[in-house]
Amino acid sequence: MAPYRRKRSVNAAQVLSWRSRGIGAGTLIRHNMKVLRSIILQDNRNYIKVWSKTSKSTIMYEDGKIYFENYQSCYSCVQSEPQLLYKLPKRSKLEKFEDALLCQSPLDKTLASPSDHKPSLLALTANNWLYRLSAKTGEELERVFLSSNHKFRYLGWDVSQEMFYVKSVQKKETPSARQAGITENTVMHLAIFHVFPLQIVGIMEINKKVFGNSVTDVVLSQGVLAVSYSTKSVKLYSFEHIVQKYMAEKLTLGKQSSQLGGKTVGDVPFGIPVNIQITDCPPVLFEVSCSNNGVQIGGYPWHYIHTPPQKCHKGTHHICSLKDSTMASNGIQNMNCCSLESDGIFFHPDDSGRIIHVGPTTINVLKILGELNSGLPSKIAEDFSMTTHRNNNSTSQVTVTSSGRTVKRRFQQLDDDPDQETFRMVEYEDELDLLAVVVTNGEEGEGRAHIRLHDNQSGQLLRTVDLVEPWDETYRHELFFDKDTIVHIEQKNTNFCCHVYKLKAATI
Protein backbone atom coordinates (compact mmCIF):
# COMPACT_ATOMS: atom_id res chain seq x y z
CA MET A 1 0.00 0.00 0.00
CA ALA A 2 1.39 3.40 -0.95
CA PRO A 3 2.23 5.68 2.00
CA TYR A 4 -0.24 8.49 2.72
CA ARG A 5 0.95 11.82 1.36
CA ARG A 6 -0.74 14.92 2.72
CA LYS A 7 -1.72 17.44 0.06
CA ARG A 8 -0.47 20.90 0.89
CA SER A 9 -1.37 24.16 -0.74
CA VAL A 10 1.31 26.12 -2.54
CA ASN A 11 1.09 29.87 -2.82
CA ALA A 12 1.67 31.80 -6.06
CA ALA A 13 5.02 33.22 -4.93
CA GLN A 14 6.39 29.71 -4.38
CA VAL A 15 5.16 28.54 -7.79
CA LEU A 16 6.83 31.53 -9.48
CA SER A 17 10.02 30.81 -7.54
CA TRP A 18 9.98 27.20 -8.76
CA ARG A 19 9.40 28.31 -12.34
CA SER A 20 12.34 30.74 -12.20
CA ARG A 21 14.55 27.78 -11.21
CA GLY A 22 13.04 25.52 -13.90
CA ILE A 23 11.18 23.30 -11.40
CA GLY A 24 7.85 22.10 -12.75
CA ALA A 25 7.90 24.68 -15.55
CA GLY A 26 5.99 23.53 -18.56
CA THR A 27 4.64 20.36 -16.91
CA LEU A 28 1.03 21.40 -17.45
CA ILE A 29 1.73 22.44 -21.06
CA ARG A 30 3.41 19.11 -21.78
CA HIS A 31 0.45 17.24 -20.29
CA ASN A 32 -1.99 19.31 -22.36
CA MET A 33 0.00 18.60 -25.53
CA LYS A 34 -0.09 14.85 -24.80
CA VAL A 35 -3.87 15.07 -24.43
CA LEU A 36 -4.18 17.06 -27.67
CA ARG A 37 -1.96 14.58 -29.52
CA SER A 38 -4.13 11.66 -28.40
CA ILE A 39 -7.26 13.56 -29.50
CA ILE A 40 -5.75 14.29 -32.93
CA LEU A 41 -5.00 10.59 -33.42
CA GLN A 42 -8.52 9.42 -32.50
CA ASP A 43 -10.55 7.79 -35.27
CA ASN A 44 -13.57 10.00 -34.56
CA ARG A 45 -11.58 13.19 -35.22
CA ASN A 46 -10.57 14.59 -38.56
CA TYR A 47 -9.20 17.73 -40.17
CA ILE A 48 -12.01 19.47 -42.06
CA LYS A 49 -11.54 22.30 -44.55
CA VAL A 50 -13.25 25.34 -43.01
CA TRP A 51 -11.96 28.34 -44.96
CA SER A 52 -10.33 29.50 -48.20
CA LYS A 53 -9.22 32.93 -49.36
CA THR A 54 -7.48 34.13 -52.52
CA SER A 55 -5.11 37.04 -52.99
CA LYS A 56 -3.22 38.84 -55.73
CA SER A 57 -0.12 39.04 -53.52
CA THR A 58 1.93 36.54 -51.52
CA ILE A 59 0.24 35.02 -48.45
CA MET A 60 2.30 34.40 -45.29
CA TYR A 61 1.58 32.20 -42.26
CA GLU A 62 3.30 32.20 -38.89
CA ASP A 63 2.34 31.20 -35.36
CA GLY A 64 -1.40 31.00 -35.90
CA LYS A 65 -1.65 34.14 -38.03
CA ILE A 66 -2.22 34.52 -41.78
CA TYR A 67 -1.02 37.71 -43.46
CA PHE A 68 -2.54 39.07 -46.67
CA GLU A 69 -1.91 42.15 -48.83
CA ASN A 70 1.76 42.42 -47.92
CA TYR A 71 1.10 42.20 -44.15
CA GLN A 72 -1.70 44.80 -44.28
CA SER A 73 -4.39 42.30 -43.23
CA CYS A 74 -3.97 39.75 -40.46
CA TYR A 75 -6.27 36.80 -39.70
CA SER A 76 -6.13 34.71 -36.53
CA CYS A 77 -6.47 30.91 -36.76
CA VAL A 78 -7.29 30.42 -33.06
CA GLN A 79 -11.07 30.23 -33.60
CA SER A 80 -13.01 27.50 -35.39
CA GLU A 81 -12.31 29.38 -38.61
CA PRO A 82 -9.96 32.32 -39.32
CA GLN A 83 -11.13 35.73 -38.09
CA LEU A 84 -9.83 39.16 -39.14
CA LEU A 85 -7.57 40.52 -36.37
CA TYR A 86 -6.77 43.87 -37.97
CA LYS A 87 -6.44 45.68 -41.27
CA LEU A 88 -3.86 48.44 -41.60
CA PRO A 89 -4.50 51.63 -43.60
CA LYS A 90 -3.27 51.56 -47.19
CA ARG A 91 0.37 52.49 -47.60
CA SER A 92 2.12 54.25 -50.45
CA LYS A 93 4.78 52.49 -52.53
CA LEU A 94 7.48 54.27 -50.53
CA GLU A 95 5.97 53.00 -47.27
CA LYS A 96 5.20 49.43 -48.35
CA PHE A 97 6.57 46.57 -46.27
CA GLU A 98 9.58 44.89 -47.89
CA ASP A 99 9.96 42.15 -45.29
CA ALA A 100 8.67 41.21 -41.83
CA LEU A 101 9.46 38.96 -38.84
CA LEU A 102 7.21 37.81 -36.00
CA CYS A 103 8.79 38.49 -32.61
CA GLN A 104 7.71 37.05 -29.24
CA SER A 105 9.36 37.95 -25.94
CA PRO A 106 10.64 35.33 -23.47
CA LEU A 107 8.39 34.60 -20.49
CA ASP A 108 11.20 34.57 -17.90
CA LYS A 109 12.28 38.21 -18.30
CA THR A 110 10.94 41.43 -16.83
CA LEU A 111 11.16 44.16 -19.46
CA ALA A 112 11.09 47.92 -19.03
CA SER A 113 7.95 48.57 -21.08
CA PRO A 114 4.71 46.53 -20.94
CA SER A 115 4.55 46.67 -24.76
CA ASP A 116 7.88 44.77 -24.91
CA HIS A 117 6.08 41.69 -23.57
CA LYS A 118 3.53 41.71 -26.37
CA PRO A 119 4.06 39.62 -29.52
CA SER A 120 5.06 42.04 -32.25
CA LEU A 121 5.66 42.21 -35.97
CA LEU A 122 8.99 43.69 -37.06
CA ALA A 123 8.37 45.28 -40.47
CA LEU A 124 10.87 46.90 -42.84
CA THR A 125 9.53 49.55 -45.23
CA ALA A 126 10.76 50.55 -48.68
CA ASN A 127 11.85 53.95 -47.35
CA ASN A 128 14.13 52.40 -44.69
CA TRP A 129 11.89 52.55 -41.62
CA LEU A 130 11.86 49.65 -39.17
CA TYR A 131 8.49 49.34 -37.41
CA ARG A 132 7.50 47.28 -34.39
CA LEU A 133 3.75 46.63 -34.54
CA SER A 134 1.49 44.82 -32.12
CA ALA A 135 0.86 41.33 -33.51
CA LYS A 136 -2.71 41.42 -32.15
CA THR A 137 -3.90 44.89 -33.16
CA GLY A 138 -1.38 46.23 -35.71
CA GLU A 139 -0.83 49.22 -33.42
CA GLU A 140 2.54 50.96 -33.90
CA LEU A 141 4.68 50.34 -30.81
CA GLU A 142 8.01 51.68 -32.03
CA ARG A 143 9.77 52.87 -35.17
CA VAL A 144 13.37 53.52 -36.14
CA PHE A 145 14.80 55.20 -39.23
CA LEU A 146 17.73 53.17 -40.51
CA SER A 147 19.62 55.26 -43.06
CA SER A 148 19.43 57.78 -45.88
CA ASN A 149 22.55 56.29 -47.52
CA HIS A 150 21.87 52.54 -47.73
CA LYS A 151 18.85 50.75 -49.19
CA PHE A 152 17.79 48.03 -46.72
CA ARG A 153 15.62 45.22 -48.05
CA TYR A 154 15.77 41.96 -46.03
CA LEU A 155 15.23 40.78 -42.43
CA GLY A 156 16.73 37.67 -40.83
CA TRP A 157 16.85 36.02 -37.39
CA ASP A 158 19.76 34.96 -35.23
CA VAL A 159 17.39 33.29 -32.78
CA SER A 160 19.93 31.79 -30.37
CA GLN A 161 21.47 35.23 -29.74
CA GLU A 162 18.08 37.00 -29.48
CA MET A 163 19.16 39.19 -32.37
CA PHE A 164 17.91 39.97 -35.86
CA TYR A 165 19.62 41.67 -38.77
CA VAL A 166 18.53 43.97 -41.58
CA LYS A 167 20.40 43.44 -44.84
CA SER A 168 20.81 46.00 -47.59
CA VAL A 169 20.63 45.35 -51.32
CA GLN A 170 23.95 44.45 -52.90
CA LYS A 171 25.89 47.28 -54.46
CA LYS A 172 26.97 46.49 -58.01
CA GLU A 173 29.33 48.26 -60.34
CA THR A 174 27.58 50.37 -62.97
CA PRO A 175 28.80 50.18 -66.59
CA SER A 176 29.86 53.85 -66.46
CA ALA A 177 31.89 53.27 -63.29
CA ARG A 178 33.49 50.20 -64.85
CA GLN A 179 34.48 52.21 -67.94
CA ALA A 180 35.95 54.91 -65.73
CA GLY A 181 37.96 52.31 -63.82
CA ILE A 182 36.11 52.99 -60.56
CA THR A 183 35.86 49.87 -58.37
CA GLU A 184 32.91 49.45 -55.98
CA ASN A 185 34.37 47.79 -52.88
CA THR A 186 31.24 47.91 -50.74
CA VAL A 187 29.10 44.78 -51.15
CA MET A 188 26.32 45.51 -48.64
CA HIS A 189 25.53 46.75 -45.14
CA LEU A 190 24.13 44.85 -42.15
CA ALA A 191 22.20 46.49 -39.32
CA ILE A 192 22.10 44.24 -36.23
CA PHE A 193 19.56 44.63 -33.41
CA HIS A 194 18.90 43.00 -30.06
CA VAL A 195 15.29 42.25 -29.19
CA PHE A 196 13.59 42.29 -25.76
CA PRO A 197 13.73 45.29 -25.77
CA LEU A 198 14.56 46.60 -29.26
CA GLN A 199 18.12 47.95 -29.20
CA ILE A 200 20.73 48.62 -31.85
CA VAL A 201 24.00 46.68 -31.81
CA GLY A 202 25.38 48.45 -34.86
CA ILE A 203 25.70 48.78 -38.61
CA MET A 204 28.69 47.33 -40.43
CA GLU A 205 29.89 47.38 -44.01
CA ILE A 206 30.80 44.20 -45.88
CA ASN A 207 33.78 45.29 -47.96
CA LYS A 208 35.75 43.48 -50.67
CA LYS A 209 39.02 44.92 -49.38
CA VAL A 210 38.41 43.19 -46.05
CA PHE A 211 36.61 39.96 -46.96
CA GLY A 212 37.88 39.41 -50.53
CA ASN A 213 36.81 40.30 -54.07
CA SER A 214 34.56 37.28 -54.60
CA VAL A 215 32.07 37.98 -51.75
CA THR A 216 28.47 37.33 -52.89
CA ASP A 217 26.33 37.17 -49.73
CA VAL A 218 26.35 37.35 -45.94
CA VAL A 219 24.06 35.98 -43.20
CA LEU A 220 24.20 36.04 -39.40
CA SER A 221 23.39 32.83 -37.52
CA GLN A 222 24.32 31.21 -34.20
CA GLY A 223 26.52 34.19 -33.37
CA VAL A 224 28.54 33.62 -36.54
CA LEU A 225 28.91 35.79 -39.64
CA ALA A 226 28.73 33.42 -42.64
CA VAL A 227 30.22 34.87 -45.84
CA SER A 228 29.59 33.20 -49.21
CA TYR A 229 31.97 33.52 -52.16
CA SER A 230 31.60 33.08 -55.90
CA THR A 231 34.54 30.67 -55.68
CA LYS A 232 32.04 28.15 -54.19
CA SER A 233 33.22 28.48 -50.62
CA VAL A 234 31.85 29.68 -47.28
CA LYS A 235 33.85 31.27 -44.45
CA LEU A 236 32.63 31.73 -40.87
CA TYR A 237 33.69 34.60 -38.60
CA SER A 238 32.92 35.27 -34.93
CA PHE A 239 30.44 38.14 -34.69
CA GLU A 240 31.32 38.64 -31.01
CA HIS A 241 34.99 39.14 -31.97
CA ILE A 242 34.01 41.63 -34.68
CA VAL A 243 31.91 43.68 -32.23
CA GLN A 244 34.58 43.67 -29.53
CA LYS A 245 37.42 44.67 -31.84
CA TYR A 246 35.83 46.98 -34.40
CA MET A 247 32.99 48.83 -32.65
CA ALA A 248 33.83 52.56 -32.82
CA GLU A 249 30.94 53.77 -30.67
CA LYS A 250 28.23 52.09 -28.62
CA LEU A 251 24.86 53.39 -29.82
CA THR A 252 21.50 53.76 -28.08
CA LEU A 253 18.25 54.37 -29.94
CA GLY A 254 16.86 57.81 -29.15
CA LYS A 255 20.16 59.05 -27.72
CA GLN A 256 22.77 61.34 -29.26
CA SER A 257 25.78 60.00 -31.19
CA SER A 258 29.16 61.61 -31.71
CA GLN A 259 29.35 59.99 -35.15
CA LEU A 260 26.21 61.92 -36.08
CA GLY A 261 27.59 65.19 -34.71
CA GLY A 262 25.34 65.02 -31.66
CA LYS A 263 22.19 64.07 -33.61
CA THR A 264 19.76 61.44 -32.32
CA VAL A 265 20.22 57.78 -33.32
CA GLY A 266 17.25 56.48 -35.33
CA ASP A 267 15.82 59.89 -36.28
CA VAL A 268 15.22 61.22 -39.80
CA PRO A 269 17.35 61.93 -41.80
CA PHE A 270 20.39 60.74 -39.84
CA GLY A 271 19.36 57.20 -39.04
CA ILE A 272 22.02 54.92 -37.60
CA PRO A 273 25.74 55.45 -38.37
CA VAL A 274 28.19 52.71 -39.37
CA ASN A 275 29.67 52.18 -35.92
CA ILE A 276 31.27 48.75 -36.55
CA GLN A 277 34.21 49.64 -38.80
CA ILE A 278 36.10 46.52 -39.89
CA THR A 279 39.59 47.53 -41.02
CA ASP A 280 41.22 44.12 -41.53
CA CYS A 281 39.98 40.59 -42.08
CA PRO A 282 38.94 38.87 -38.83
CA PRO A 283 40.22 35.35 -38.04
CA VAL A 284 38.43 32.64 -40.03
CA LEU A 285 36.73 30.17 -37.69
CA PHE A 286 35.85 27.65 -40.40
CA GLU A 287 36.04 27.38 -44.18
CA VAL A 288 34.57 24.84 -46.58
CA SER A 289 34.21 24.48 -50.35
CA CYS A 290 30.68 23.59 -51.41
CA SER A 291 28.31 23.84 -54.35
CA ASN A 292 25.63 26.56 -54.23
CA ASN A 293 27.38 27.99 -51.14
CA GLY A 294 25.31 25.57 -49.05
CA VAL A 295 26.67 24.35 -45.71
CA GLN A 296 24.67 23.31 -42.63
CA ILE A 297 26.05 22.89 -39.12
CA GLY A 298 24.42 20.87 -36.34
CA GLY A 299 24.28 17.47 -34.70
CA TYR A 300 26.08 16.12 -31.66
CA PRO A 301 29.04 16.05 -31.68
CA TRP A 302 29.05 19.03 -34.09
CA HIS A 303 29.03 18.09 -37.77
CA TYR A 304 28.44 19.87 -41.04
CA ILE A 305 26.69 18.83 -44.25
CA HIS A 306 27.83 20.03 -47.67
CA THR A 307 28.14 18.99 -51.30
CA PRO A 308 31.67 19.45 -52.70
CA PRO A 309 31.72 21.66 -55.81
CA GLN A 310 33.25 19.05 -58.13
CA LYS A 311 30.92 17.52 -60.77
CA CYS A 312 31.63 14.00 -59.57
CA HIS A 313 30.00 14.82 -56.22
CA LYS A 314 26.78 16.20 -57.70
CA GLY A 315 23.75 14.72 -55.96
CA THR A 316 25.72 13.60 -52.89
CA HIS A 317 25.73 15.03 -49.37
CA HIS A 318 28.89 14.76 -47.27
CA ILE A 319 28.63 14.67 -43.47
CA CYS A 320 31.86 15.64 -41.72
CA SER A 321 33.05 16.43 -38.22
CA LEU A 322 33.24 20.17 -37.56
CA LYS A 323 36.19 19.61 -35.23
CA ASP A 324 38.66 18.36 -37.84
CA SER A 325 36.62 17.93 -41.10
CA THR A 326 36.95 14.13 -40.87
CA MET A 327 34.37 12.37 -43.00
CA ALA A 328 31.96 10.33 -40.87
CA SER A 329 31.74 6.63 -41.56
CA ASN A 330 28.84 6.18 -44.01
CA GLY A 331 28.97 9.98 -44.29
CA ILE A 332 28.25 10.20 -48.03
CA GLN A 333 24.47 10.14 -48.48
CA ASN A 334 23.08 9.75 -52.00
CA MET A 335 19.47 9.02 -52.92
CA ASN A 336 20.47 8.13 -56.51
CA CYS A 337 17.18 9.57 -57.64
CA CYS A 338 16.28 10.71 -61.14
CA SER A 339 13.96 13.67 -60.55
CA LEU A 340 13.28 17.27 -61.49
CA GLU A 341 13.52 18.40 -57.87
CA SER A 342 16.73 17.50 -56.05
CA ASP A 343 16.56 15.67 -52.73
CA GLY A 344 16.87 17.71 -49.55
CA ILE A 345 18.87 17.14 -46.38
CA PHE A 346 18.90 19.08 -43.12
CA PHE A 347 19.52 18.73 -39.40
CA HIS A 348 16.34 17.78 -37.55
CA PRO A 349 14.69 20.88 -36.01
CA ASP A 350 13.91 18.95 -32.78
CA ASP A 351 17.51 19.50 -31.55
CA SER A 352 18.04 15.75 -31.28
CA GLY A 353 21.13 16.01 -33.49
CA ARG A 354 19.53 13.75 -36.09
CA ILE A 355 19.44 14.40 -39.85
CA ILE A 356 16.42 14.23 -42.18
CA HIS A 357 17.11 13.25 -45.82
CA VAL A 358 14.08 13.69 -48.08
CA GLY A 359 13.81 12.17 -51.55
CA PRO A 360 10.83 11.58 -53.86
CA THR A 361 10.31 7.96 -52.75
CA THR A 362 12.22 7.70 -49.45
CA ILE A 363 12.70 9.74 -46.28
CA ASN A 364 15.62 8.66 -44.10
CA VAL A 365 16.01 9.90 -40.54
CA LEU A 366 19.68 9.46 -39.66
CA LYS A 367 21.57 9.65 -36.37
CA ILE A 368 25.18 10.47 -35.61
CA LEU A 369 26.99 7.88 -33.49
CA GLY A 370 30.18 9.15 -31.92
CA GLU A 371 31.80 10.35 -28.72
CA LEU A 372 32.83 13.97 -28.19
CA ASN A 373 36.49 13.34 -27.33
CA SER A 374 36.96 10.05 -29.16
CA GLY A 375 39.76 9.79 -31.71
CA LEU A 376 37.61 7.54 -33.88
CA PRO A 377 35.43 8.95 -36.69
CA SER A 378 31.71 9.19 -35.98
CA LYS A 379 29.26 6.97 -37.82
CA ILE A 380 26.03 7.81 -39.65
CA ALA A 381 23.31 5.23 -39.00
CA GLU A 382 19.66 4.99 -39.99
CA ASP A 383 17.24 5.72 -37.17
CA PHE A 384 14.18 4.94 -39.27
CA SER A 385 12.98 5.24 -42.85
CA MET A 386 9.70 6.00 -44.65
CA THR A 387 8.82 4.98 -48.20
CA THR A 388 6.04 5.70 -50.67
CA HIS A 389 3.61 3.01 -51.83
CA ARG A 390 4.10 2.41 -55.54
CA ASN A 391 3.07 -0.38 -57.83
CA ASN A 392 5.97 -2.45 -59.05
CA ASN A 393 4.69 -2.56 -62.62
CA SER A 394 7.29 -0.10 -63.82
CA THR A 395 7.10 0.65 -67.51
CA SER A 396 9.70 -1.28 -69.48
CA GLN A 397 12.34 0.74 -71.28
CA VAL A 398 12.12 -1.65 -74.24
CA THR A 399 8.94 -2.20 -76.28
CA VAL A 400 8.43 -4.86 -78.98
CA THR A 401 6.04 -3.85 -81.76
CA SER A 402 3.58 -6.24 -83.48
CA SER A 403 6.03 -6.62 -86.37
CA GLY A 404 8.74 -7.78 -83.97
CA ARG A 405 10.76 -4.54 -84.08
CA THR A 406 12.39 -3.53 -80.78
CA VAL A 407 11.87 0.11 -79.78
CA LYS A 408 13.77 1.58 -76.84
CA ARG A 409 12.22 4.49 -74.94
CA ARG A 410 14.40 7.59 -74.96
CA PHE A 411 13.33 8.84 -71.53
CA GLN A 412 12.63 6.91 -68.34
CA GLN A 413 9.93 7.89 -65.88
CA LEU A 414 11.14 10.35 -63.24
CA ASP A 415 11.12 9.41 -59.56
CA ASP A 416 9.04 12.51 -58.78
CA ASP A 417 6.62 12.02 -61.67
CA PRO A 418 3.26 13.60 -60.68
CA ASP A 419 1.45 10.40 -61.70
CA GLN A 420 3.11 8.45 -58.90
CA GLU A 421 2.94 8.69 -55.11
CA THR A 422 5.72 11.10 -54.17
CA PHE A 423 7.07 12.77 -51.03
CA ARG A 424 6.94 16.55 -51.41
CA MET A 425 7.82 18.05 -48.02
CA VAL A 426 8.22 17.35 -44.30
CA GLU A 427 7.00 19.58 -41.44
CA TYR A 428 7.87 19.04 -37.77
CA GLU A 429 5.29 19.89 -35.09
CA ASP A 430 7.48 20.37 -32.02
CA GLU A 431 4.74 20.58 -29.37
CA LEU A 432 3.08 17.34 -30.51
CA ASP A 433 6.37 15.67 -31.54
CA LEU A 434 4.89 14.65 -34.89
CA LEU A 435 6.27 14.64 -38.43
CA ALA A 436 3.78 15.79 -41.06
CA VAL A 437 4.76 14.37 -44.46
CA VAL A 438 3.06 15.70 -47.59
CA VAL A 439 2.49 12.99 -50.22
CA THR A 440 1.04 13.59 -53.69
CA ASN A 441 -0.46 11.16 -56.16
CA GLY A 442 -1.84 11.84 -59.65
CA GLU A 443 -2.75 8.32 -60.72
CA GLU A 444 -6.38 9.26 -61.34
CA GLY A 445 -5.50 12.13 -63.66
CA GLU A 446 -5.75 14.97 -61.14
CA GLY A 447 -3.03 15.67 -58.59
CA ARG A 448 -4.14 14.96 -55.04
CA ALA A 449 -2.29 15.29 -51.76
CA HIS A 450 -2.55 13.84 -48.29
CA ILE A 451 -0.61 14.36 -45.08
CA ARG A 452 0.89 11.40 -43.26
CA LEU A 453 1.39 11.97 -39.52
CA HIS A 454 4.34 9.98 -38.17
CA ASP A 455 5.68 9.60 -34.66
CA ASN A 456 8.88 11.65 -34.51
CA GLN A 457 10.75 9.13 -32.37
CA SER A 458 9.92 5.86 -34.16
CA GLY A 459 8.63 6.94 -37.58
CA GLN A 460 5.43 4.93 -37.05
CA LEU A 461 2.54 6.07 -39.28
CA LEU A 462 -0.24 7.20 -36.94
CA ARG A 463 -2.87 8.60 -39.29
CA THR A 464 -3.50 10.16 -42.71
CA VAL A 465 -5.25 13.43 -43.54
CA ASP A 466 -6.62 14.04 -47.05
CA LEU A 467 -6.50 17.51 -48.60
CA VAL A 468 -9.68 18.41 -50.49
CA GLU A 469 -8.24 20.78 -53.11
CA PRO A 470 -6.20 19.46 -56.08
CA TRP A 471 -2.41 19.74 -55.87
CA ASP A 472 -0.77 20.97 -59.07
CA GLU A 473 2.97 20.33 -58.94
CA THR A 474 3.69 22.98 -61.58
CA TYR A 475 3.00 25.67 -58.94
CA ARG A 476 4.58 26.54 -55.61
CA HIS A 477 3.06 25.12 -52.41
CA GLU A 478 3.59 25.67 -48.70
CA LEU A 479 2.06 23.63 -45.90
CA PHE A 480 1.99 24.34 -42.15
CA PHE A 481 0.92 21.81 -39.52
CA ASP A 482 0.20 23.67 -36.27
CA LYS A 483 -1.52 21.48 -33.66
CA ASP A 484 -5.25 21.56 -34.49
CA THR A 485 -4.70 23.63 -37.66
CA ILE A 486 -3.40 22.81 -41.14
CA VAL A 487 -2.69 25.68 -43.53
CA HIS A 488 -2.06 25.06 -47.23
CA ILE A 489 -0.89 28.03 -49.33
CA GLU A 490 -0.67 27.55 -53.09
CA GLN A 491 0.13 29.71 -56.06
CA LYS A 492 -2.03 29.55 -59.19
CA ASN A 493 -0.56 31.56 -62.06
CA THR A 494 -0.45 35.10 -60.63
CA ASN A 495 -2.95 34.39 -57.83
CA PHE A 496 -2.43 32.89 -54.39
CA CYS A 497 -4.87 30.87 -52.33
CA CYS A 498 -4.92 29.89 -48.66
CA HIS A 499 -6.83 26.83 -47.42
CA VAL A 500 -7.35 26.24 -43.69
CA TYR A 501 -8.28 22.91 -42.05
CA LYS A 502 -9.36 22.58 -38.40
CA LEU A 503 -9.64 19.52 -36.20
CA LYS A 504 -13.27 18.55 -35.69
CA ALA A 505 -15.23 15.62 -34.32
CA ALA A 506 -16.69 13.35 -36.98
CA THR A 507 -20.43 13.76 -37.44
CA ILE A 508 -22.58 10.65 -37.40
Side-chain angles (χ1 to χ4, degrees):
M1 182 176 178
Y4 172 74
R5 181 174 295 173
R6 182 171 61 90
K7 291 183 180 180
R8 59 190 181 93
S9 61
V10 180
N11 63 38
Q14 193 167 358
V15 172
L16 291 173
S17 174
W18 287 351
R19 286 184 178 181
S20 67
R21 288 178 285 154
I23 302 173
T27 304
L28 182 59
I29 294 175
R30 287 196 297 272
H31 175 71
N32 289 343
M33 288 303 106
K34 284 182 180 179
V35 172
L36 179 58
R37 173 176 159 139
S38 65
I39 292 173
I40 286 173
L41 300 178
Q42 288 176 0
D43 291 337
N44 64 338
R45 305 277 175 169
N46 207 350
Y47 285 90
I48 306 299
K49 186 173 178 177
V50 297
W51 191 79
S52 289
K53 183 175 172 61
T54 59
S55 173
K56 292 287 186 183
S57 58
T58 305
I59 304 170
M60 308 295 293
Y61 174 86
E62 190 161 359
D63 194 40
K65 296 178 179 66
I66 309 172
Y67 295 95
F68 291 86
E69 302 170 51
N70 200 29
Y71 296 97
Q72 298 300 293
S73 298
C74 177
Y75 287 77
S76 169
C77 288
V78 174
Q79 296 85 358
S80 58
E81 65 178 66
Q83 302 290 326
L84 181 66
L85 266 184
Y86 63 81
K87 185 177 178 67
L88 298 178
K90 284 191 175 181
R91 310 177 73 88
S92 67
K93 284 188 177 182
L94 281 177
E95 297 174 313
K96 77 167 186 173
F97 292 153
E98 296 280 9
D99 203 355
L101 294 174
L102 190 65
C103 174
Q104 301 193 79
S105 67
L107 299 176
D108 60 343
K109 288 186 179 181
T110 302
L111 304 176
S113 170
S115 72
D116 291 335
H117 287 280
K118 297 178 180 178
S120 54
L121 187 72
L122 301 168
L124 174 66
T125 66
N127 56 352
N128 274 359
W129 279 94
L130 178 69
Y131 283 86
R132 191 166 71 88
L133 307 175
S134 167
K136 293 184 178 179
T137 65
E139 173 195 359
E140 182 185 316
L141 304 175
E142 203 170 351
R143 65 173 171 172
V144 177
F145 183 67
L146 298 177
S147 175
S148 298
N149 303 317
H150 322 301
K151 172 58 181 169
F152 288 96
R153 180 70 59 82
Y154 312 101
L155 291 171
W157 272 118
D158 186 354
V159 177
S160 65
Q161 307 299 309
E162 293 189 353
M163 293 192 302
F164 70 95
Y165 60 93
V166 193
K167 186 162 62 174
S168 74
V169 295
Q170 293 191 25
K171 290 195 174 183
K172 296 182 180 179
E173 289 181 351
T174 61
S176 57
R178 203 177 298 118
Q179 284 182 348
I182 301 172
T183 303
E184 178 60 73
N185 287 311
T186 301
V187 179
M188 65 180 67
H189 286 81
L190 284 187
I192 301 96
F193 290 83
H194 273 300
V195 288
F196 322 128
L198 182 66
Q199 187 53 262
I200 182 67
V201 176
I203 291 185
M204 65 181 183
E205 177 184 286
I206 305 300
N207 195 294
K208 291 180 181 179
K209 286 184 177 180
V210 171
F211 292 99
N213 289 325
S214 57
V215 175
T216 57
D217 199 8
V218 174
V219 296
L220 189 63
S221 178
Q222 305 286 330
V224 168
L225 189 72
V227 183
S228 302
Y229 294 85
S230 59
T231 52
K232 295 186 177 181
S233 66
V234 175
K235 294 181 182 179
L236 306 185
Y237 303 88
S238 167
F239 180 68
E240 182 182 6
H241 171 82
I242 290 172
V243 170
Q244 289 177 351
K245 184 175 180 181
Y246 302 106
M247 181 179 283
E249 180 188 6
K250 191 171 183 178
L251 303 174
T252 303
L253 295 175
K255 297 296 178 73
Q256 294 178 337
S257 163
S258 60
Q259 284 188 263
L260 295 175
K263 304 300 182 183
T264 303
V265 177
D267 277 3
V268 176
F270 314 104
I272 302 170
V274 179
N275 66 320
I276 302 175
Q277 298 167 355
I278 308 174
T279 54
D280 57 281
C281 189
V284 178
L285 297 177
F286 175 75
E287 180 179 2
V288 63
S289 296
C290 50
S291 65
N292 301 322
N293 294 321
V295 60
Q296 302 177 66
I297 297 175
Y300 183 84
W302 288 100
H303 281 67
Y304 65 93
I305 305 171
H306 75 297
T307 299
Q310 294 82 7
K311 275 189 174 182
C312 60
H313 296 299
K314 186 177 180 181
T316 66
H317 305 279
H318 294 219
I319 306 170
C320 305
S321 167
L322 186 64
K323 181 180 178 181
D324 53 14
S325 295
T326 302
M327 172 80 74
S329 175
N330 195 34
I332 299 179
Q333 295 293 315
N334 187 359
M335 285 284 185
N336 290 316
C337 51
C338 178
S339 57
L340 291 175
E341 296 290 332
S342 58
D343 55 317
I345 191 168
F346 51 92
F347 286 101
H348 200 309
D350 69 352
D351 294 327
S352 63
R354 294 180 296 174
I355 296 168
I356 299 180
H357 191 184
V358 184
T361 62
T362 306
I363 297 176
N364 293 325
V365 177
L366 310 169
K367 55 187 177 182
I368 301 172
L369 305 177
E371 297 297 327
L372 188 60
N373 297 314
S374 171
L376 298 173
S378 53
K379 181 180 179 181
I380 306 302
E382 183 182 293
D383 195 13
F384 60 83
S385 182
M386 297 174 267
T387 58
T388 56
H389 305 293
R390 294 189 172 185
N391 57 50
N392 295 320
N393 301 324
S394 56
T395 306
S396 173
Q397 290 294 104
V398 178
T399 302
V400 180
T401 65
S402 57
S403 62
R405 186 167 60 93
T406 301
V407 179
K408 189 173 183 180
R409 296 176 64 195
R410 184 174 295 179
F411 303 107
Q412 67 179 35
Q413 191 174 40
L414 296 174
D415 290 329
D416 60 351
D417 192 294
D419 291 341
Q420 301 184 86
E421 189 172 86
T422 305
F423 289 133
R424 296 299 175 183
M425 60 184 77
V426 177
E427 279 285 308
Y428 173 58
E429 217 306 330
D430 57 340
E431 293 178 291
L432 302 177
D433 203 31
L434 291 173
L435 290 172
V437 181
V438 179
V439 186
T440 61
N441 195 338
E443 282 185 348
E444 297 178 2
E446 186 176 47
R448 291 288 172 180
H450 63 269
I451 302 166
R452 287 167 45 171
L453 300 182
H454 292 259
D455 178 75
N456 181 49
Q457 302 304 322
S458 65
Q460 179 187 356
L461 176 61
L462 302 175
R463 77 167 303 168
T464 299
V465 178
D466 291 324
L467 296 185
V468 177
E469 65 276 359
W471 185 292
D472 189 338
E473 262 307 307
T474 57
Y475 297 117
R476 188 172 66 89
H477 296 264
E478 288 182 288
L479 187 126
F480 304 91
F481 176 53
D482 193 353
K483 298 187 285 294
D484 66 334
T485 306
I486 294 173
V487 178
H488 173 210
I489 299 173
E490 61 176 337
Q491 181 179 356
K492 289 184 176 180
N493 296 318
T494 58
N495 293 325
F496 298 84
C497 190
C498 177
H499 309 280
V500 176
Y501 293 73
K502 298 293 288 189
L503 186 69
K504 293 183 179 291
T507 54
I508 299 174

